[in-house]
């Protein structure tokens, strides 16, 4: 059988499967024992409603709650074997049915336990005066709605507040709230977990509770919070990630169980990218593998454990959970409990190739269906393939295979893929050749600092590292963190000696890592990911500004792990969708407050700037492409901020604001650089009498969102000085007033320099271009009409020329260049000269030459001006080429924090080309 003939694809499958459930010893027993009760469960997949109806009928037949629940469980199991093995039911049908059975059973058990205890002790009353509540927390597969057919259920019991019961009406019986719920836990266990003549409903395991089996069976919410904060271990974060309040149903419906989120989420998902969990999970998994090996020693059949053996279900779960825990604090869209959904989310987030996620999902479904069939045989909690030929053949045929051999081949293929992906993710850092350098150091031990210093051939690096001997941050490190730091340093030293990285990179790396020593997760990330470590050193070595950016925003180094980092370009649609997904994910858990949204925007912006920066220093994109991407990023952030801020305006009078943001300067010309501020004018087109006041409040909030420094930094510096009447004008202007000002209608009109600025102005598209929105919004169309009127207005060319030259002289006086140097921006023959020439040509000639009107940038417009005959042949193109070169020189100098003033001879050809351009236009 080939994989193309996968289970369920054969035309005669139904005939092959008919009656297969009868091979199960479990089914045989249930059909003999419960022949009369089996019809009570309505036909089709068991659902909560049909199970509740069946439970009620069993009660009417005289069965108490415990017996009725156990019989219901047997009826559900028989039905699931038939649906799965004979009708090919999807995996979700089985897992959801078993999960809903558990939820129903625990809800019924809670109700009965509370009734009995209320009669004995009265109602449990919290100190707040309200009835105290206890929540049953389902962990693991129960929390994720993934229970298998013979699962035990991992439970934790938590109550909200301490207090006492009211006692019986006649007096007496008063106990503490904790005693009341402790007794409730015992009663619930008896109703669900005890084995009787009808078996059990579920095996119950409380070992995941705080302090494990030595801890109390129920704890208060405050005690849980303290435990997780003080004693919670890394592996417990994985356990709590799938936690879910599942009973009593009424307390879930009224929202009271939401109080758990504020305790659990900060424990599971940390604020920063958290690579510390790698080593913890690696250790836990090794313990599981070691335990499995011991169990199978001398018992080779035990090696075929579809859950715990190499390539089993547990490794798929660990793979996806690790990615979720590491990044779930910063990327809330990754937070989900079911494994299959989590795989899709990590793929959408770019953390795993789509084909890998799909392959792991197929393997997961396959292994879970195998697991169910193993348990269908005898209702045993086992994951070992059967050793009897008849059982193995039956298992294969229920999956659609003609026999055991093709099934085992498919099983091996899935397990090998899973194991490879797991080892790729969690295999650990490869030790470098220079990392075991103490003379008597055991294998794998971290080197001593002195050994690392001796290893180095660079005197400046040796000197800087020697300061660590007495450095307080280094001395304060925990042993584990200190070992990580020294391993990392030894690897860096080896690469430096081998010539893989530069001395400047290593010196900057030491400066970068010193302030971050308390954030141990960064050390863990770099140790876990040698490729990220090496790329980080390359970025640090490329220029000074990237090093400074990384000091301010160290969390962005995780972007270096992306395999598509260098090949991709910024995609505004992807970013805006990711931000919206994260906002929705935060809203689901009630975390979408302003602080979290501000930080979400900042983290996303910093990550995208860093992605562009890496592509830039690696010379994968040009200076023009850098500007395009940074400008598109600014547009996207402005759009998202506008969408998120408007609903927060208390007195807003419409669902969507009639509002626009006009970009000037580098934003308007799509020439943003790293750290550029945004020249912005805010306008509204709304006739409501309250509009000026409402939009003023809106703009104040927008500016706060964009400029406020939080723990994650800020977004932009905002300059609104180009608005009508400058700093003395209104912060936001009605569009009619803006149009009148620009088009020189009335007594209050724009100056020539403001029209110069408008040559580079554009309305920031309120909706992402290329989406389902029309080509231009009404506000964009109105702005384009105003700009057209300004660009094509009749002008006195001589007067315009005089005003622009005068403005140029004032600017030159404000930026003197000393020492006979050439400033690439401000000196005669510099970039500003080329920009002023372009602005003059646009304002003077757009009316007769429409090709000059579009906001295309200086280089393209100079070429068009020459083509239209406004410049001598070759002058426009030479000026454009010179401008491009000067822009590149300026960009590289700023990137390395070097002065933009150079010896004139260095750029003499470019300076002469722009002087010739100036002479051709202004004389």
């Amino acid at each position: 059988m080939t994989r193309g003939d996968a289970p369920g694809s054969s035309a005669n499958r139904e005939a092959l499967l008919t009656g297969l459930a009868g091979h199960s010893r479990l089914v045989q027993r249930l059909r003999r024992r419960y022949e009369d009760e089996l019809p009570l469960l309505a036909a089709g997949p068991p659902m909560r409603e049909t199970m509740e109806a069946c439970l009620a009928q069993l009660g009417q037949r005289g069965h108490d709650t415990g017996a009725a629940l156990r019989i219901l469980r047997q009826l559900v199991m028989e039905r699931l074997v038939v649906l799965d093995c004979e009708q090919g039911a999807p995996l979700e049908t089985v897992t959801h049915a078993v999960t809903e059975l558990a939820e129903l059973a625990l809800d019924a058990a809670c109700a009965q336990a509370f009734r009995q205890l209320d009669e004995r002790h009265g109602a449990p009353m919290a100190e707040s005066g309200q009835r105290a509540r206890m929540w049953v927390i389902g962990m693991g597969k129960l929390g994720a709605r993934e229970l298998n057919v013979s699962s035990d259920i991992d439970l934790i019991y938590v109550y909200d507040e301490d207090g006492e019961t009211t006692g019986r009406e006649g007096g007496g019986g008063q106990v503490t709230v904790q005693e009341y719920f402790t007794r409730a836990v015992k009663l619930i266990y008896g109703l669900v977990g005890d084995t009787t003549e009808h078996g059990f409903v579920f095996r119950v395991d409380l070992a995941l509770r705080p302090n494990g089996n030595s801890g109390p069976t129920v704890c208060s919410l405050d005690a849980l919070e303290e435990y997780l904060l003080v004693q919670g271990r890394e592996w417990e974060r994985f356990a709590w990630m799938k936690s879910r309040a599942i009973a009593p149903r009424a307390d879930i419906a009224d929202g009271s169980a939401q109080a758990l989120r504020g305790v659990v989420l900060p424990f599971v998902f940390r604020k920063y990218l958290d690579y510390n969990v790698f080593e913890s999970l690696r250790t836990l998994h090794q313990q599981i593998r070691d335990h499995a090996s011991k169990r199978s020693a001398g018992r080779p059949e035990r090696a075929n454990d579809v859950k715990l053996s190499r390539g089993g279900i547990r490794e798929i779960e660990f793979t996806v959970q690790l990615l979720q825990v590491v990044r779930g604090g910063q990327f809330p869209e990754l937070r989900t409990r079911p494994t299959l959904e989590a795989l899709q989310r990590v793929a959408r987030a770019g953390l795993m190739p789509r084909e890998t996620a799909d392959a792991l999902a197929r393997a997961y479904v396959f292994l879970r269906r195998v697991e169910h069939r193993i348990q269908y045989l005898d209702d045993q909690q086992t994951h070992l393939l059967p050793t009897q030929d008849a059982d193995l053949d039956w298992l294969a045929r229920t999956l659609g295979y003609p026999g055991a051999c093709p099934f085992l081949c498919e099983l091996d293929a899935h397990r090998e893929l899973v194991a490879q992906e797991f080892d790729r993710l969690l295999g650990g850092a490869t030790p470098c050749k220079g990392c075991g350098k103490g003379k008597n150091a055991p294998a794998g031990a971290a080197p001593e600092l002195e050994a690392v210093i001796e290893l180095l051939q660079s005197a400046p690096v040796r000197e800087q590292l020697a300061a660590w001997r007495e450095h307080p941050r280094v001395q304060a490190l925990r042993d584990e963190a200190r070992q990580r730091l020294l391993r990392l340093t030894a690897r860096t030293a080896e690469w430096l000696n081998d010539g893989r990285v530069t001395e400047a990179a290593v010196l900057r790396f030491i400066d970068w890592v010193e302030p971050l020593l308390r954030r141990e997760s960064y050390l863990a990330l770099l140790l876990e990911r040698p490729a990220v470590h090496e790329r980080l050193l390359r970025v640090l070595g490329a220029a000074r500004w990237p090093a400074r950016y990384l000091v301010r925003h160290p969390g962005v180094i995780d972007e270096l792990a992306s395999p598509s980092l260098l090949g991709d370009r910024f995609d505004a649609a992807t970013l805006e969708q990711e931000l919206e997904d994260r906002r929705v994910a935060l809203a689901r858990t009630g975390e979408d407050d302003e602080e979290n949204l501000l930080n979400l925007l900042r983290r996303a912006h910093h990550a995208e700037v860093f992605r562009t920066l890496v592509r830039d220093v690696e010379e994968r994109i040009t200076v023009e492409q850098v500007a395009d991407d940074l400008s598109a990023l600014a547009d996207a952030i402005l759009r998202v901020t506008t969408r998120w801020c408007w609903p927060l305006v208390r007195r807003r009078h419409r669902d969507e604001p009639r509002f626009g943001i006009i970009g000037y300067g580098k934003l308007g010309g799509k020439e943003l650089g790293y750290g550029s501020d945004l020249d912005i004018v805010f306008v509204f087109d709304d006739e409501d009498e309250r509009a000026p006041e409402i939009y003023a409040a809106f703009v104040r909030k927008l500016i706060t969102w964009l400029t406020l420094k939080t723990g994650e930094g800020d977004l932009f510096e905002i300059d609104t000085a180009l608005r009508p009447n400058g700093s003395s004008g209104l912060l936001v202007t009605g569009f009619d007033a803006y149009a009148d000002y620009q088009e020189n209608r009335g007594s209050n009109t724009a100056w020539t320099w403001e029209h110069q600025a408008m040559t580079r102005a554009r309305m920031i598209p309120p909706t992402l271009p290329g989406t389902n929105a029309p080509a231009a919004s009404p506000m964009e169309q109105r702005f384009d009409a105003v700009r057209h009127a300004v660009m094509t207005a009749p002008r006195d060319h001589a007067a315009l020329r005089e005003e622009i030259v005068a403005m140029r002289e004032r600017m030159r006086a404000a930026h003197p260049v000393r020492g006979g140097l050439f400033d690439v921006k401000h000196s005669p023959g510099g970039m500003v000269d080329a920009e002023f020439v372009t602005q003059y040509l646009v304002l003077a000639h757009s009316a007769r030459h429409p090709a000059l009107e579009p906001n295309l940038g200086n280089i393209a417009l100079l070429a068009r001006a020459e083509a239209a005959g406004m410049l001598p042949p070759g002058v426009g193109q030479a000026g454009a080429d010179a401008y491009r070169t000067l822009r590149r020189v300026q960009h590289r100098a700023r990137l390395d924090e070097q002065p933009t003033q150079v010896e004139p001879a260095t750029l003499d050809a470019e300076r002469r080309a722009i002087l010739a351009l100036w002479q051709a236009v202004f004389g």
Side-chain angles (χ1 to χ4, degrees), residues 764-810:
I764 306 302
T767 304
L768 188 66
T771 59
N772 294 329
S777 67
M779 185 76 79
E780 289 176 275
Q781 293 174 21
R782 289 203 66 186
F783 170 78
D784 289 344
V786 171
R787 185 178 181 278
H788 170 75
V790 172
M791 295 302 101
T792 59
R795 290 181 172 88
D796 182 324
H797 290 188
L800 177 64
R801 188 182 298 113
E802 183 178 339
E803 287 189 63
I804 290 180
V805 169
M807 175 61 70
R808 180 70 187 98
E809 291 301 325
R810 286 196 293 273

Side-chain angles (χ1 to χ4, degrees), residues 46-278:
M47 295 182 291
R48 176 112 186 192
E49 294 76 11
T50 60
M51 288 188 280
E52 285 177 338
C54 182
L55 186 66
Q57 293 182 67
L58 289 168
Q60 292 168 8
R61 292 192 175 193
H63 297 290
D64 62 27
T65 300
L69 286 171
R70 284 161 176 75
I71 296 170
L72 173 62
R73 188 254 181 190
Q74 311 295 16
L75 306 186
V76 170
M77 290 301 110
E78 191 273 346
R79 178 67 53 78
L80 292 178
V81 180
V82 173
L83 289 172
D84 197 356
C85 296
E86 296 185 4
Q87 299 178 25
L91 174 64
E92 292 78 10
T93 297
V94 178
T95 55
H96 287 183
V98 182
T99 300
E100 289 189 336
L101 174 63
E103 293 170 353
L104 171 61
L106 288 165
D107 189 49
C110 285
Q112 178 157 319
F114 295 160
R115 282 196 301 270
Q116 291 181 16
L117 291 171
D118 280 2
E119 292 174 2
R120 298 177 198 168
H121 306 291
M125 303 302 294
E127 293 172 354
S128 63
Q130 302 295 316
R131 181 182 175 107
R133 302 169 186 263
M134 183 185 78
W135 304 297
V136 184
I137 313 302
M139 310 290 282
K141 287 185 168 61
L142 174 56
R145 296 183 172 90
E146 296 173 331
L147 281 179
N148 62 51
V149 292
S150 197
S151 282
D152 58 2
I153 52 176
D154 294 300
L155 303 178
I156 294 177
Y157 295 94
V158 179
Y159 63 92
D160 56 355
E161 293 183 65
D162 285 309
E164 291 185 337
T165 64
T166 57
R168 294 188 295 269
E169 287 188 12
Q174 196 172 42
V175 295
T176 66
V177 165
Q178 183 168 24
E179 289 176 290
Y180 176 96
F181 288 129
T182 299
R183 295 176 187 184
V185 169
K186 291 180 180 178
L187 291 173
I188 292 168
Y189 181 86
L191 288 166
V192 175
D194 279 346
T195 301
T196 71
E197 61 173 313
H198 297 294
F200 52 81
V201 189
F202 285 95
R203 305 175 188 87
V204 177
D205 190 341
L206 304 182
L208 292 178
R209 68 186 187 271
N211 296 304
N213 291 328
S214 62
T217 55
V218 61
C219 70
S220 69
L221 188 60
D222 287 345
L224 173 64
E225 183 173 23
E226 182 178 1
Y227 172 83
L228 295 179
L229 185 64
V230 177
Q231 301 182 53
R233 290 157 289 183
E234 296 291 350
W235 67 264
E236 289 178 287
R237 295 170 62 194
F238 291 89
W240 277 97
M241 187 172 66
K242 290 193 174 187
S243 64
R244 178 171 61 93
I246 57 173
R249 195 177 192 183
D251 290 343
I252 298 169
D254 68 14
S256 65
Q258 297 293 324
L260 284 159
R261 287 180 173 174
V263 172
V264 173
L265 285 176
F267 172 66
V268 175
F269 301 109
R270 303 294 164 83
K271 182 178 179 182
Y272 300 102
L273 293 169
D274 188 8
Y275 278 80
N276 288 313
V277 297
F278 268 77

Side-chain angles (χ1 to χ4, degrees), residues 446-449 468-469 474-475 477-487 520 523:
E448 292 299 324
L449 179 60
W468 281 8
R469 294 184 182 113
V474 176
Q475 298 300 318
L477 286 175
R478 297 183 305 115
D479 287 345
E480 182 182 4
R482 180 182 173 83
Q483 289 177 6
R484 281 177 176 155
L485 175 63
L486 291 174
R487 288 194 183 99
E520 297 174 13
L523 301 179

Side-chain angles (χ1 to χ4, degrees), residues 452 454-458 492-501:
V452 177
E454 290 175 12
L455 180 68
L456 284 160
Q457 299 168 8
S458 163
T492 306
E494 183 190 352
W495 289 347
L496 176 60
N497 290 344
D498 291 346
R500 287 171 63 173
V501 298

Side-chain angles (χ1 to χ4, degrees), residues 570-774:
F570 172 67
D571 186 320
T574 299
L575 175 67
E576 292 187 37
Q577 186 59 56
E578 286 176 352
L579 285 169
E580 188 58 25
D581 290 345
R582 289 169 198 167
R583 187 196 64 78
V584 170
L586 288 173
R588 281 198 296 266
T589 55
E591 298 175 278
D592 57 335
D593 56 73
E594 285 197 45
E595 181 181 2
N596 279 333
L597 294 180
L598 286 169
N599 286 332
L600 194 160
L601 285 168
R602 281 150 178 75
R603 284 194 295 268
H605 178 258
H606 299 155
E608 291 295 345
V609 169
F610 184 65
R611 284 170 173 265
T612 299
L613 178 61
V614 174
R615 295 167 191 143
D616 183 7
V617 300
E618 294 275 7
E619 299 184 352
R620 299 301 181 97
I621 54 178
T622 65
V623 173
E624 289 80 7
Q625 289 173 321
V626 170
D628 287 343
D629 288 356
L630 292 177
S631 301
L633 172 60
D635 287 2
I637 294 296
L638 289 170
R639 275 192 294 271
V640 173
T641 306
T642 300
R643 283 199 298 269
W644 289 2
C645 275
W646 179 249
L648 301 177
V649 177
R650 293 180 181 176
R651 298 176 59 192
R652 69 183 185 280
H653 58 301
R654 58 176 70 252
D655 292 336
E656 297 292 334
R658 295 175 61 176
F659 171 83
I661 300 174
I662 303 171
Y664 281 80
K666 291 185 182 301
L667 174 63
K670 297 183 180 180
E671 295 180 350
L672 282 183
Y674 304 112
S676 293
D677 60 3
L678 303 186
D679 292 303
I680 284 176
V681 170
F682 300 103
V683 293
F684 66 91
D685 186 15
D686 193 326
E687 297 175 358
D688 192 288
E689 62 181 10
R690 299 163 295 174
E693 183 179 348
I694 291 171
Y695 287 107
F698 179 39
V699 165
R700 285 193 294 270
K701 180 171 283 292
L702 264 179
I703 292 175
T704 298
W705 271 52
L706 293 167
T707 61
L708 182 68
K709 291 187 184 296
T710 72
E712 299 287 346
D714 59 4
L715 288 170
F716 302 103
E717 292 293 328
I718 302 297
D719 189 342
T720 60
L722 288 171
R723 65 188 187 269
N725 298 308
S727 299
S728 62
L730 297 172
L731 193 57
V732 58
T733 307
F735 198 92
D736 288 341
Y738 173 82
D740 290 344
Y741 181 82
Q742 295 293 348
E743 295 180 48
N744 295 330
R745 292 194 293 262
S747 58
N748 183 30
T749 59
W751 297 80
T752 297
W753 66 265
E754 292 176 285
H755 286 170
Q756 286 180 252
M758 203 168 187
T759 64
R760 303 174 72 190
R762 64 189 175 90
M763 177 73 71
I764 306 302
T767 304
L768 188 66
T771 59
N772 294 329

